[in-house]
Amino acid sequence: MDTVALLDRHSEALALFTERVHAVRPDQWDRATPCAEWTVRDLVNHLTAEQLWVPLLVGAGRGTAEAGDAFDGDVLGAHPAVTWDRAASGAKAAFNMPGALDRTVELSYGERTAADYCAQMVADATVHTWDLSRAIGADEALPEALVEFTAREVAPYAAGPARSGLFATAVEPPPGADAQTELLCLLGREP
């Protein structure tokens, strides 16, 4: 995928998740999500912490070991949506810097290109948008381009989710399932 298309998918995934974060009512932060043991706040915190890593890893060239536990625990504070907005903006800016996607980043599981890292972030934001939508009763439909992108991104490692620990065990999609349902079932969700 070319750089412009990847950055477009990244922006689209962040915008969609942002829309859902801003739809969370005050009484919904403690609701359960499809992610085992995560509340809405836990889910938003997870994705926010991931965005906070991007400027360090891509922009500053620091590795996860060097940054340590900077984003462990609750990073949301008293204003989760504001914190999310700042984190998403920082991640988007870092990936959009000239030449950023050509860099190599040091992740907890080894070195990857920043383009690969960005693609993983798109997939994670896409799937977690569905999780958040389900938890708060928002529209669960994901844009076709993001579903297709995420399916291509996760296909190589989704076959062994129990080994990777990244996803719940896949569930059998219903007959005639659409692409979104197939993706969600592959990642252990039950739409």
Side-chain angles (χ1 to χ4, degrees), residues 89-171:
S89 178
K92 184 176 178 181
F95 278 131
N96 279 276
M97 292 183 326
L101 294 179
D102 297 325
R103 297 177 184 164
T104 299
V105 294
E106 180 192 325
L107 304 173
S108 60
Y109 52 87
E111 289 187 351
R112 295 289 185 270
T113 67
D116 288 344
Y117 177 42
C118 184
Q120 292 168 10
M121 297 289 278
V122 171
D124 203 41
T126 299
V127 174
H128 285 319
T129 294
W130 181 85
D131 294 328
L132 183 55
S133 298
R134 169 65 56 104
I136 65 170
D139 181 5
E140 295 177 10
L142 300 170
E144 184 177 328
L146 285 176
V147 169
E148 290 173 3
F149 178 92
T150 301
R152 282 192 309 273
E153 174 62 25
V154 301
Y157 50 90
R163 290 189 308 270
S164 71
L166 293 174
F167 312 111
T169 303
V171 297

Side-chain angles (χ1 to χ4, degrees), residues 12-109:
E12 186 178 10
L14 288 181
L16 191 61
F17 195 79
T18 297
E19 180 182 297
R20 296 307 189 274
V21 170
H22 284 271
V24 178
R25 295 188 319 262
D27 64 331
Q28 294 179 315
W29 289 102
D30 291 327
R31 280 192 178 182
T33 69
C35 300
E37 300 180 22
W38 276 0
T39 64
V40 166
R41 185 177 179 91
D42 295 331
L43 175 67
V44 174
N45 187 72
H46 162 72
L47 221 59
T48 301
E50 283 192 346
Q51 305 317 305
L52 291 170
W53 278 106
V54 176
L56 286 177
L57 299 176
V58 176
R62 294 174 61 189
T64 54
E66 184 182 351
D69 61 0
F71 305 118
D72 287 356
D74 186 338
V75 298
L76 293 178
H79 304 286
V82 172
T83 304
W84 162 258
D85 289 346
R86 288 182 183 147
S89 178
K92 184 176 178 181
F95 278 131
N96 279 276
M97 292 183 326
L101 294 179
D102 297 325
R103 297 177 184 164
T104 299
V105 294
E106 180 192 325
L107 304 173
S108 60
Y109 52 87

